[in-house]
Amino acid sequence: MNDGKSETGSFYKDLVGGYYDAGDAIKFNFPMSFAMTMLSWSVIEYSAKYEAAGELNHVKEIIKWGTDYFLKTFNSSADSIGRMVAQVGVGDTSGGSTTPNDHYCWMRPEDIDYKRPVAECSSCSDLAAEMAAALAAASIVFKDNKAYSQKLVHGARTLFKFSRDQRGRYSGGGTDAALFYNSSSYWDEFVWGGAWLYYATGNNSYLQLATTPGLAKHAGAFWGGPDYGVLSWDNKLAGAQVLLSRLRLFLSPGYPYEEILRTFHNQTSIIMCSYLPIFTSFNRTKAGLIQLNHGRPQPLQYIVNAAFLATLYSDYLEAADTPGWYCGPNFYSTEVLREFAKTQIDYILGKNPRKMSYIAGFGNHYPRHVHHRGASIPKNKIKYNCKGGWKWRDSSKPNPNTLVGAMVAGPDKHDGFHDVRTNYNYTEPTLAGNAGLVAALVALSGDKTTGIDKNTIFSAVPPMFPTPPPPPAPWKP
């Protein structure tokens, strides 16, 4: 409740709000922005499915809690800015440091009494462009609330200009973020942010930018590589490729965009092929879990994003009356993509060798030692200080509070899982991972006849081609 209040004379008044990142109480604005972009995207495409589940107002409240906070992290009424907030709280405990911070201490968020420093940045293209994407996507979600939507669009434009004017990675040397959410490049955010701003504003300059071949090239669109087609908090290229293929499928803007849009569309086809079991871009565990991060820990966050993209793309094809797509000479039906997404999500929900659901509170058998401070400390009116909570962190007893709905980091490449609180590679839930889960679940929910909302995303986009002139008046001799 005191975040950002002690720093007087700064460009922000307070930094209360937003979301903690994982099992800690740090606000990492980079993955938080991506989480909000993903939720907004899922609402824009599937509002009818959220409505059917009775969750539409709820998810909109969740997004607004994030975007209200984002608007506090920079001077959102200005047209030009020179700095923004990157993070609140610190997690570095290297070198045996015993300074109380958000990783050294284990206490309930409401009991925190140590200083929570604010990290600012002045060249942070990736962070600014991702936050711009989040605000732009949310402006479409809230388009019926004119004043708020315009506020979001204005903030998005300001951030995107800042990201383009003052180049640099937000997680440069020595920053706390570099240890936890190190951004590998900002080119993917330029394409992704440009695409979202185009949809939010209908302004062609953003489309020109998002379809500049040089940007796509720097973002790795033509290169392949081990992480090609993997959408994550760090790399949004795959998301941008799908998002821009959508433009070609439904509006087909033609010259001068057609060439690069066709390229993105082809690349999206290749990515979708790479998710299928018949192709060997990615290994699978014995039980069939795709290893999008090549056997490294915490696989589930990447899998839910891929499940969302695959289901969404199959719905795009359905909406375009296309029964499938080609992988080399072979034609695959959209059904195959849904099947891929379904098998992966089913695994997460408990269809796996351990008969274990990786979502806390779902099913009978789920992780009981989720790496999460609030969940692990009992509600007993006793205030535990920084190290006082360590006994709850290290206890082998199950958490006293169930973090209902939270997806944990996941199993290892042998389908193994250790339900141990201190082993965060298995038991820690993250904000970005859970946003992807919600997106994937809503996309797969209901029957596929509901499909996507084809037009809402294009609300601000002007007609692609001039309207034909009216017919001539009837001829009178």
Side-chain angles (χ1 to χ4, degrees):
M1 296 307 293
N2 292 313
D3 280 359
K5 285 181 181 169
S6 56
E7 326 273 330
T8 45
S10 173
F11 57 88
Y12 49 86
K13 288 185 228 16
D14 78 90
L15 297 167
V16 176
Y19 293 99
Y20 297 142
D21 176 63
D24 52 14
I26 301 180
K27 295 173 188 174
F28 285 110
N29 293 354
F30 187 52
M32 195 195 305
S33 296
F34 175 66
M36 295 304 114
T37 312
M38 287 295 284
L39 284 182
S40 288
W41 192 5
S42 72
V43 172
I44 293 164
E45 302 283 14
Y46 295 115
S47 59
K49 291 189 174 192
Y50 275 111
E51 188 75 273
E55 289 287 336
L56 183 59
N57 288 337
H58 185 193
V59 73
K60 286 168 97 165
E61 280 165 22
I62 288 171
I63 293 167
K64 188 168 186 295
W65 184 258
T67 52
D68 282 350
Y69 164 77
F70 294 152
L71 291 171
K72 295 178 170 187
T73 64
F74 64 103
N75 183 353
S76 55
S77 58
D79 293 336
S80 280
I81 54 172
R83 50 200 310 105
M84 68 184 294
V85 173
Q87 179 179 331
V88 182
V90 169
D92 186 5
T93 54
S94 60
S97 160
T98 56
T99 313
N101 73 16
D102 285 284
H103 284 178
Y104 183 74
C105 301
W106 192 271
M107 50 204 301
R108 304 180 188 100
E110 61 271 30
D111 291 343
I112 287 174
D113 53 6
Y114 47 82
K115 255 181 78 78
R116 287 164 58 78
V118 174
E120 297 176 15
C121 61
S122 54
S123 55
C124 31
S125 304
D126 31 29
L127 169 64
E130 183 55 52
M131 196 180 285
L135 296 182
S139 77
I140 303 172
V141 170
F142 294 109
K143 70 176 180 17
D144 297 338
N145 177 345
K146 255 297 190 292
Y148 190 62
S149 185
Q150 279 168 345
K151 204 169 164 180
L152 293 172
V153 170
H154 182 269
R157 282 176 176 273
T158 298
L159 283 169
F160 199 68
K161 178 181 182 316
F162 168 58
S163 84
R164 299 278 302 151
D165 289 348
Q166 295 178 212
R167 300 285 174 93
R169 290 186 311 118
Y170 93 107
S171 55
T175 52
D176 196 64
L179 299 169
F180 304 105
Y181 285 100
N182 184 37
S183 166
S184 45
S185 107
Y186 49 73
W187 299 102
D188 54 303
E189 282 83 12
F190 281 165
V191 183
W192 170 246
W196 278 115
L197 270 151
Y198 174 63
Y199 287 141
T201 63
N203 183 326
N204 268 345
S205 64
Y206 292 116
L207 182 58
Q208 279 159 5
L209 185 84
T211 54
T212 304
L215 284 193
K217 178 175 169 257
H218 284 306
F222 308 111
W223 177 66
D227 297 325
Y228 197 78
V230 182
L231 173 62
S232 72
W233 57 262
D234 176 23
N235 195 335
K236 290 92 196 193
L237 177 64
Q241 288 162 317
V242 172
L243 197 55
L244 288 164
S245 298
R246 189 193 208 286
L247 185 65
R248 180 172 191 251
L249 278 164
F250 301 126
L251 293 189
S252 195
Y255 180 83
Y257 310 110
E258 168 60 19
E259 196 177 350
I260 186 85
L261 290 179
R262 186 175 68 226
T263 304
F264 281 145
H265 193 169
N266 287 341
Q267 290 168 343
T268 301
S269 297
I270 291 167
I271 289 167
M272 295 302 154
C273 303
S274 77
Y275 293 161
L276 303 181
I278 14 191
F279 297 93
T280 52
S281 322
F282 300 104
N283 291 328
R284 281 170 162 71
T285 65
K286 268 204 177 63
L289 192 68
I290 190 169
Q291 296 289 288
L292 294 170
N293 62 338
H294 305 288
R296 295 191 290 272
Q298 310 180 26
L300 297 186
Q301 53 174 326
Y302 307 100
I303 292 167
V304 290
N305 288 342
F308 172 66
L309 289 184
T311 310
L312 180 61
Y313 190 63
S314 81
D315 283 342
Y316 285 176
L317 294 177
E318 296 272 339
D321 290 325
T322 310
W325 84 113
Y326 280 94
C327 297
N330 301 322
F331 187 80
Y332 291 95
S333 105
T334 51
E335 240 352 273
V336 190
L337 279 179
R338 289 190 86 80
E339 195 46 40
F340 157 73
K342 220 169 109 4
T343 53
Q344 297 302 311
I345 297 295
D346 282 347
Y347 182 111
I348 295 170
L349 295 176
K351 207 169 167 188
N352 56 57
R354 306 184 78 82
K355 307 268 181 286
M356 168 92 143
S357 138
Y358 288 107
I359 297 175
F362 182 79
N364 304 323
H365 187 42
Y366 53 82
R368 305 281 172 168
H369 303 78
V370 177
H371 180 96
H372 184 275
R373 285 157 178 75
S376 66
I377 302 174
K379 188 177 176 196
N380 59 7
K381 299 205 165 76
I382 301 170
K383 184 172 172 178
Y384 298 98
N385 65 12
C386 175
K387 286 159 69 167
W390 284 12
K391 63 173 182 187
W392 299 112
R393 176 192 67 192
D394 301 335
S395 150
S396 56
K397 291 200 180 79
N399 284 353
N401 316 305
T402 305
L403 195 63
V404 176
M407 179 182 77
V408 297
D412 56 34
K413 59 182 174 190
H414 306 295
D415 298 301
F417 183 78
H418 297 294
D419 190 2
V420 176
R421 196 176 296 103
T422 46
N423 197 331
Y424 53 85
N425 276 333
Y426 289 105
T427 56
E428 189 163 22
T430 64
L431 191 59
N434 278 274
L437 173 71
V438 170
L441 288 173
V442 78
L444 285 166
S445 71
D447 55 5
K448 70 167 201 236
T449 52
T450 312
I452 51 154
D453 173 344
K454 196 159 143 184
N455 298 319
T456 292
I457 203 169
F458 299 136
S459 305
V461 174
M464 284 289 156
F465 305 103
T467 42
W475 181 73
K476 285 198 180 78

